[in-house]
Amino acid sequence: MSKDFYTAVKNRRSIYTIGKEKVVTEERIEQVVKQAVKHTPYAFNATSGRVVLLFDEHHDKLWNITKETLRKIVPEADFPATEDRINSFANGYGTVLFFEDQEVIEGLQKQMELYKDNFPIWSEQASGMLQFVIWTSLELEGLGVSLQHYNPLIDKGVKEKWGIPNTWKMRAQMPFGNPTAPPKEKEFSSVEERMKVFK
Ligand SMILES: Cc1cc2nc3c(=O)[nH]c(=O)nc-3n(C[C@H](O)[C@H](O)[C@H](O)COP(=O)(O)O)c2cc1C
């Protein structure tokens, strides 16, 4: 699939209705995620971003861990709605997990005392960039994608299941699948109010 960058940016949406039909090969998904991991910038080229790509039964297991974790803490009466939401992500066939390696960040803080307070902020900013690049890339490939935050609730279950190093701090989960319905109408606030131009 080939679309220009501007169209891809415009078309990237949160898609909550997804299915398990493999509209793109796993190899292709792996390739575009690798490309994003390689080329997304990090402050001081710190590359503290870490990604775990889960397909099929691994994806199902993630959303099962999430569901069972939430079952223990969400009031029983509210749980059906929670379960529906989790099932809507499980309906897809893959999830990208985003982490930031705290060991890298702490190392830089020791090396560059002057920027000590900035490194954790830059790590979050760069992780956001990485998330955006992957989100947009997956959209370009024809997938329906959304961004979720069940961390830190699921951190322990995820670390145990996939042997994630203790220094990797989970930042987000990005479930994807074939889109089965278009996104909701989106409201746009005034760009003119949000942007000043001097020329
Ligand atoms: C930093 C960030 C955090 C988000 N967290 C969540 C989330 O936890 N759950 C969710 O369903 N959507 C989440 N979203 C999606 C936003 O709600 C969504 O991007 C926004 O409403 C605009 O809609 P669009 O993605 O369709 O353009 C997040 C988006 C961003 C950029």
Side-chain angles (χ1 to χ4, degrees):
M1 188 166 299
S2 109
K3 272 189 238 162
D4 67 73
F5 178 70
Y6 304 110
T7 308
V9 168
K10 192 170 148 189
N11 287 353
R12 180 226 48 81
R13 293 293 313 277
S14 296
I15 307 290
Y16 296 105
T17 47
I18 54 177
K20 291 192 190 293
E21 191 195 325
K22 304 227 161 151
V23 285
V24 202
T25 63
E26 288 173 5
E27 289 68 33
R28 178 66 183 157
I29 293 171
E30 211 179 309
Q31 196 182 28
V32 300
V33 171
K34 259 190 193 153
Q35 174 88 352
V37 169
K38 183 170 177 182
H39 292 292
T40 300
Y42 267 76
F44 287 95
N45 205 18
T47 58
S48 48
R50 304 286 181 267
V51 157
V52 172
L53 187 49
L54 303 173
F55 286 110
D56 303 320
E57 66 265 31
H58 292 281
H59 161 88
D60 295 343
K61 179 69 190 170
L62 171 79
W63 294 107
N64 198 43
I65 289 172
T66 308
K67 193 189 289 184
E68 294 315 314
T69 304
L70 290 171
R71 197 191 295 279
K72 290 178 200 144
I73 54 174
V74 172
E76 209 178 322
D78 299 335
F79 192 69
T82 301
E83 189 170 27
D84 283 353
R85 194 163 170 82
I86 302 303
N87 287 343
S88 73
F89 308 133
N91 284 342
Y93 67 89
T95 303
V96 188
L97 301 178
F98 293 88
F99 301 83
E100 284 292 307
D101 191 343
Q102 302 306 299
E103 196 176 5
V104 176
I105 296 155
E106 284 160 22
L108 286 162
Q109 286 178 307
K110 281 186 198 130
Q111 259 179 49
M112 282 177 263
E113 185 70 23
L114 188 62
Y115 297 122
K116 192 164 71 65
D117 297 337
N118 288 88
F119 281 112
I121 299 167
W122 287 333
S123 142
E124 296 296 313
Q125 290 174 344
S127 176
M129 289 192 189
L130 180 58
Q131 291 164 37
F132 174 76
V133 175
I134 293 180
W135 193 345
T136 307
S137 303
L138 296 181
E139 187 285 328
L140 254 176
E141 295 300 321
L143 291 160
V145 187
S146 74
L147 184 62
Q148 303 305 320
H149 294 91
Y150 291 99
N151 48 291
L153 292 173
I154 60 170
D155 289 21
K156 189 168 173 281
V158 167
K159 279 191 174 155
E160 281 171 9
K161 171 67 190 164
W162 289 286
I164 307 294
N166 268 333
T167 58
W168 292 22
K169 185 175 172 190
M170 183 148 48
R171 309 315 300 134
Q173 306 81 47
M174 187 172 280
F176 59 83
N178 65 301
T180 54
K184 285 188 299 193
E185 195 73 27
K186 184 172 173 178
E187 281 179 20
F188 292 92
S189 54
S190 158
V191 174
E192 285 66 34
E193 280 172 21
R194 296 168 60 195
M195 179 175 167
K196 293 185 194 298
V197 180
F198 302 93
K199 57 184 176 187

